[in-house]
Amino acid sequence: MHEDDLDRIAQEIRLRDLKAVYEAGAGHIGGEMSAIDILTALYFSVLRVWPDQPKHPHRDRFVLSKGHVALALYVTLAKRGFIPEEEISAFLKPLSRLNGHPNCNKVPGVETNTGPLGHGLPVAVGMAKAAKMTGANYHTYVMTGDGEMQEGSNWEAIASAAQFRLDNLTLIIDHNRFQQGASLGDTNNLAPFPNKLEAFGWDVTEINGNAMGEIVPALKKRGNRPHCVVAHTNKGQGISFMQDTVDWHHKVPNAEQYKIAVAELSGTL
């Protein structure tokens, strides 16, 4: 798919995500906006998946370890055909399967339940190792937040992936520089990430995580070691008053803010 088409789809996903957060009165909108370009590239250019056969044995696997941005994944899955697009209106409503964190037992296309941070990468390592043991040719991708990389379980998984030479595993770090309540620099700042991953024996690629021209080639890169894509992104990407502010980790726009955000994402402001 052409880069311009991917950019258009990403903006459509951002608009629907924004509307769903506004209508539901909840959501982790800042981190959703930073991750949407990567999710779009994955589902519309990179992943080998079949929406009508979400458990196809040869499908590539994607694990959203930063599960609190589940809405962005739901909107992407709907756009790709895994679930009805109109179902997004049920986000967080009673009895809805579109919960605040993704559930693989309820939502087609979700590979594993996530929410507790630091769990997704270890699960993805297991998926990649299983492929090696069974001779399967699927590739496993996992996206973490940069604050999430403070969890020790991630570094145990990183060491294991290098030990097993899991060249069928790609880690994407959504490096938007903010976590709940503070900037990364004001907490336990593990950045820069590349030298640390390389010290464990990984290949590392640094990109602008909001630029399709850089995202797609990085996600398709293959080598003989596990690969980490450090994606430098902007919290609240595409919405001026949300960008690079810790306030919008988990916050809902008011009516005036919503109007401005829709105009900016639509290109009418």
Side-chain angles (χ1 to χ4, degrees):
M1 186 173 286
H2 193 273
E3 185 178 323
D4 290 342
D5 295 322
L6 293 173
D7 283 331
R8 173 182 52 78
I9 292 169
Q11 287 302 88
E12 291 172 356
I13 292 172
R14 281 194 172 88
L15 275 163
R16 189 63 189 92
D17 186 288
L18 168 68
K19 181 182 179 184
V21 168
Y22 181 67
E23 291 177 343
H28 291 80
I29 193 166
E32 287 161 5
M33 295 295 142
S34 69
I36 282 172
D37 292 309
I38 297 166
L39 292 173
T40 301
L42 281 166
Y43 280 92
F44 290 89
S45 184
V46 177
L47 291 177
R48 182 178 53 180
V49 291
W50 296 268
D52 60 336
Q53 301 179 70
K55 293 296 184 182
H56 194 292
H58 300 308
R59 74 192 183 280
D60 290 332
R61 272 67 164 170
F62 171 67
V63 175
L64 181 67
S65 190
K66 47 179 286 183
H68 51 284
V69 303
L71 176 57
L73 177 60
Y74 298 151
V75 178
T76 305
L77 289 173
K79 195 78 173 173
R80 186 67 173 80
F82 284 87
I83 60 176
E85 290 197 57
E86 58 268 22
E87 189 176 354
I88 299 301
S89 297
F91 176 60
L92 295 182
K93 289 186 177 179
L95 305 182
S96 171
R97 61 180 176 171
L98 303 185
N99 302 325
H101 292 86
N103 188 324
C104 66
N105 296 310
K106 296 181 179 181
V107 184
V110 174
E111 292 292 344
T112 188
N113 295 16
T114 54
L117 299 179
H119 288 196
L121 179 54
V123 170
V125 168
M127 291 176 175
K129 178 62 173 174
K132 289 290 188 181
M133 294 174 68
T134 61
N137 65 351
Y138 64 80
H139 197 90
T140 299
Y141 295 85
V142 55
M143 180 190 289
T144 69
D146 48 6
E148 181 182 2
M149 293 304 294
Q150 295 163 358
E151 299 284 353
S153 52
N154 281 324
W155 297 96
E156 294 179 17
I158 286 166
S160 296
Q163 170 69 26
F164 298 138
R165 300 192 70 82
L166 299 181
D167 55 0
N168 58 346
L169 175 67
T170 298
L171 163 64
I172 308 150
I173 301 176
D174 183 6
H175 192 8
N176 63 28
R177 304 177 305 283
F178 290 92
Q179 59 193 101
Q180 184 170 341
S183 69
L184 197 67
D186 290 334
T187 55
N188 182 15
N189 189 7
L190 294 180
F193 292 103
N195 58 341
K196 297 176 179 64
L197 270 294
E198 288 166 350
F200 275 85
W202 283 54
D203 286 329
V204 181
T205 303
E206 285 192 89
I207 63 168
N208 177 346
N210 297 126
M212 285 297 173
E214 297 185 34
I215 297 169
V216 174
L219 294 178
K220 291 182 176 181
K221 181 179 177 181
R222 297 291 183 267
N224 60 3
R225 296 185 291 175
H227 181 216
C228 177
V229 177
V230 179
H232 295 272
T233 62
N234 295 309
K235 197 97 166 181
Q237 171 70 16
I239 304 173
S240 60
F241 60 86
M242 291 187 189
Q243 286 196 179
D244 295 326
T245 61
V246 69
D247 296 348
W248 289 96
H249 179 83
H250 186 272
K251 188 176 179 180
V252 179
N254 60 33
E256 182 60 28
Q257 290 170 329
Y258 176 69
K259 182 179 178 180
I260 294 170
V262 168
E264 290 184 348
L265 292 176
S266 303
T268 59
L269 189 65

